[in-house]
Amino acid sequence: MKLHNERLYARIPIPLQNALISVYGWQVLRRRSGPDLEAAKRLLEESERYDKTRLREWQDEKLKGLILYAYETVPYYRELMDSLHLRPSDVETVDDLAKLPVLTREDIREQGERLLSTAVKSKSLRRVATSGTTGAPITIFWDRGVEIFNNACMHRFHHLAGIDPREPFATLMGRPTVPLSQTKPPFWRYNAARRQLLLSTLHLRPDNISSYARELKRRRIAVLEAYPSSAYILAKLLKDAGEELRFRIVTLTGEPLLPPTRSFIEKHFQCEIFDAYGAAERTLFAAECERHEGLHIFEEYGVTEILDGDGLRLPHGESGRIVATSLHNRATPLIRYACGDIGTISETPCSCGRSHPLFEDLTTREEDILVLPDGRLLPPLFLLSGYGCITGIRKAQVLQDEPSAIHIKLETDHPLIAAEVAVLMDYLTKRLGNGVKITLERVDEIPLSPLGKFRRVISTVPLPKNNNT
Ligand SMILES: [Zn+2]
């Protein structure tokens, strides 16, 4: 919905808002289904049992077509490959991808429409703007093919999680559908196209929480999809209010899922959790299976590589930048796109027998990484165990604008205790070094990002550049 439409939307009666949401829901559903979706679902059912070699052959075949297409129809890739004296026939396998440089967010911003294929009709495309915590947003386009394939992967994920596509579910994430000015329930809207209850993240407060629980029980909703932080807030507020609420399945995506958050949500809702990872750039899709040993990378979706600081591919088991190539988007083909996340692909296959490799330790985004004066890069998980010494801590957020200083906001139940602060300061100094000035601040609430996400670290210090990226 565009901004001026959002203002209009806020003024119309609630039943009409529900009708509008449902009409929009039907349009999206129609665009993402049909014979093409059924074909993609059949392929994914079959390829779920491919062995490693067969999966790689499938990727190579798809990649070969993509490179030829990009060379012939995308001005940026034509020029890039010509300047590197590469012909499409030089990049025919996943291993050959190393001949091409990494594509960064800055590249996408600079190249703009030169990354758009001349073979697609712009009317049939969806324009998507994605933004990190820092930096300007980038715009890419999806064609119908990538929307269909993404939907087929969602079907596979739901199948792995044991969710019936027709069963009602609730969503606690994404765009606000309930105007902030509304002070009384319903703090939700209903998308009849998908039997989806859209819960408002912005209205989750102790005095409102019982109304959420009543509505979810009344509708007998057993499946929730949410961000880890929003599911946590729902569970915590319900727990504090003494309300019991059960879900059968909770699917989580959009933020790294930490073990304490996971067990808290699992315990309160008495549910089974399925974690998934995706990106608006549509280069990567990964999700847990019933064994919960990590997130299976859906290799039919794209080619995923882990690179070191010099742009060289790392073996499984080592942590580095996630770089991924979409095998399906023919509008803005992204080849070796560095999405800004850091991760590790497991050396061990999943015990379920599927040969799709597992992500372990899907850390975070580049802007979540602290850059220290001595050049060290610190993932936010590194600081996490230090907060354990502060009793009554709910959340902590680290802000960094220059390498030599960090500011930490602590959201706690009660005022800070000097002795605990001393332990934390000692812990931090040992890890960050004496060259970093650390300041702490207790706050009542750490605000979420406009889309309702919680960031543990927000650093505006750019990561060191290297030649390959
Ligand atoms: Zn598995």
Side-chain angles (χ1 to χ4, degrees):
M1 240 181 280
K2 300 240 169 61
L3 194 62
H4 60 277
N5 291 345
E6 275 176 24
R7 272 192 215 126
L8 186 68
Y9 170 89
R11 290 208 299 266
I12 62 174
I14 292 170
L16 207 53
Q17 291 180 349
N18 283 329
L20 259 184
I21 286 173
S22 300
V23 168
Y24 181 69
W26 283 114
Q27 285 172 351
V28 173
L29 203 65
R30 203 173 55 207
R31 189 180 154 89
R32 294 179 185 169
S33 43
D36 296 348
L37 175 71
E38 296 313 311
K41 277 161 63 183
R42 275 196 302 276
L43 163 80
L44 289 176
E45 269 168 40
E46 199 187 305
S47 61
E48 199 171 321
R49 294 292 163 190
Y50 281 0
D51 62 16
K52 264 164 112 174
T53 317
R54 183 92 196 271
L55 266 176
R56 180 52 70 91
E57 284 168 1
W58 193 91
Q59 283 187 316
D60 284 348
E61 196 55 40
K62 212 61 192 159
L63 186 67
K64 199 168 139 182
L66 173 86
I67 298 288
L68 183 63
Y69 175 85
Y71 183 76
E72 284 178 346
T73 76
V74 181
Y76 168 74
Y77 285 114
R78 164 68 69 115
E79 201 173 287
L80 175 76
M81 288 173 66
D82 282 347
S83 73
L84 296 168
H85 307 292
L86 289 173
R87 308 286 306 162
S89 56
D90 294 321
V91 189
E92 293 199 320
T93 66
V94 168
D95 287 336
D96 290 339
L97 268 178
K99 296 174 188 169
L100 292 170
V102 165
L103 182 75
T104 63
R105 292 180 69 85
E106 290 70 36
D107 293 332
I108 296 179
R109 202 152 43 228
E110 273 167 27
Q111 294 300 325
E113 302 237 322
R114 284 171 43 76
L115 265 165
L116 185 64
S117 166
T118 53
V120 288
K121 291 192 189 80
S122 57
K123 264 190 188 164
S124 65
L125 305 180
R126 284 267 312 268
R127 186 192 175 93
V128 189
T130 77
S131 62
T133 311
T134 58
I138 54 165
T139 303
I140 62 150
F141 293 87
W142 296 341
D143 69 346
R144 185 168 173 270
V146 77
E147 287 193 60
I148 291 276
F149 206 82
N150 194 73
N151 194 16
C153 287
M154 282 305 288
H155 276 267
R156 178 197 261 177
F157 173 42
H158 286 165
H159 183 71
L160 291 175
I163 299 169
D164 184 323
R166 289 157 304 182
E167 80 179 297
F169 68 105
T171 300
L172 187 62
M173 64 204 299
R175 287 188 183 281
T177 50
V178 178
L180 201 53
S181 54
Q182 194 184 308
T183 52
K184 292 199 178 84
F187 301 113
W188 45 85
R189 296 295 181 264
Y190 188 65
N191 171 15
R194 294 183 63 201
R195 307 184 75 192
Q196 177 187 27
L197 189 69
L198 295 150
L199 303 169
S200 170
T201 321
L202 300 174
H203 295 77
L204 286 172
R205 288 205 318 254
D207 52 334
N208 288 339
I209 203 66
S210 296
S211 68
Y212 282 80
R214 269 198 305 278
E215 184 67 8
L216 287 160
K217 283 177 189 168
R218 189 180 75 79
R219 290 180 182 266
R220 296 166 194 263
I221 286 180
V223 177
L224 172 73
E225 63 169 20
Y227 296 136
S229 57
S230 56
Y232 175 83
I233 294 167
L234 180 69
K236 177 81 169 72
L237 289 177
L238 288 168
K239 186 173 183 262
D240 292 349
E243 291 265 7
E244 261 198 37
L245 183 69
R246 288 185 187 189
F247 291 107
R248 193 179 86 251
I249 310 281
V250 174
T251 64
L252 297 173
T253 184
E255 298 162 343
L257 176 60
L258 303 174
T261 314
R262 183 179 191 125
S263 54
F264 186 86
I265 299 167
E266 222 159 30
K267 201 170 154 198
H268 189 76
F269 294 136
Q270 299 186 24
C271 63
E272 185 172 4
I273 288 180
F274 286 85
D275 189 19
Y277 173 89
E281 291 85 356
R282 296 290 184 257
T283 49
L284 179 54
F285 196 117
E288 272 184 283
C289 75
E290 67 284 355
R291 298 291 173 96
H292 306 287
E293 291 174 17
L295 278 69
H296 280 288
I297 299 171
F298 290 11
E299 296 208 290
E300 303 87 339
Y301 194 83
V303 177
T304 305
E305 304 169 81
I306 304 292
L307 304 187
D308 69 9
D310 295 322
L312 297 174
R313 196 179 292 172
L314 288 167
H316 291 180
E318 288 188 38
S319 173
R321 279 180 170 181
I322 301 173
V323 168
T325 300
S326 166
L327 291 175
H328 298 277
N329 193 359
R330 298 256 158 168
T332 313
L334 298 181
I335 300 170
R336 304 197 90 201
Y337 170 60
C339 58
D341 288 2
I342 304 289
T344 314
I345 298 177
S346 174
E347 288 176 289
T348 326
C350 186
S351 66
C352 70
R354 295 176 185 92
S355 42
H356 301 70
L358 295 175
F359 260 133
E360 56 180 22
D361 173 35
L362 254 178
T363 316
T364 183
R365 302 184 63 84
E366 283 180 9
E367 56 255 38
D368 296 344
I369 293 168
L370 295 171
V371 182
L372 300 182
D374 58 4
R376 279 186 300 145
L377 304 179
L378 216 58
L381 285 171
F382 206 70
L383 298 180
L384 207 69
S385 48
Y387 303 137
C389 62
I390 307 285
T391 49
I393 189 159
R394 289 195 297 261
K395 275 189 230 148
Q397 187 174 57
V398 183
L399 305 169
Q400 185 189 39
D401 291 323
E402 53 173 304
S404 58
I406 66 161
H407 182 69
I408 302 181
K409 287 183 179 175
L410 299 168
E411 190 189 299
T412 56
D413 287 331
H414 48 72
L416 295 176
I417 299 160
E420 293 180 352
V421 169
V423 176
L424 176 61
M425 287 300 273
D426 182 51
Y427 177 94
L428 295 172
T429 311
K430 275 188 187 137
R431 278 151 187 82
L432 300 171
N434 287 323
V436 182
K437 181 169 176 265
I438 306 162
T439 46
L440 292 179
E441 178 192 9
R442 192 208 154 262
V443 294
D444 288 320
E445 197 183 350
I446 298 172
L448 299 176
S449 78
L451 283 178
K453 287 191 191 181
F454 174 67
R455 314 301 302 235
R456 282 168 294 139
V457 170
I458 301 175
S459 174
T460 58
V461 182
L463 293 192
K465 280 264 170 198
N466 63 60
N467 295 337
N468 288 52
T469 59

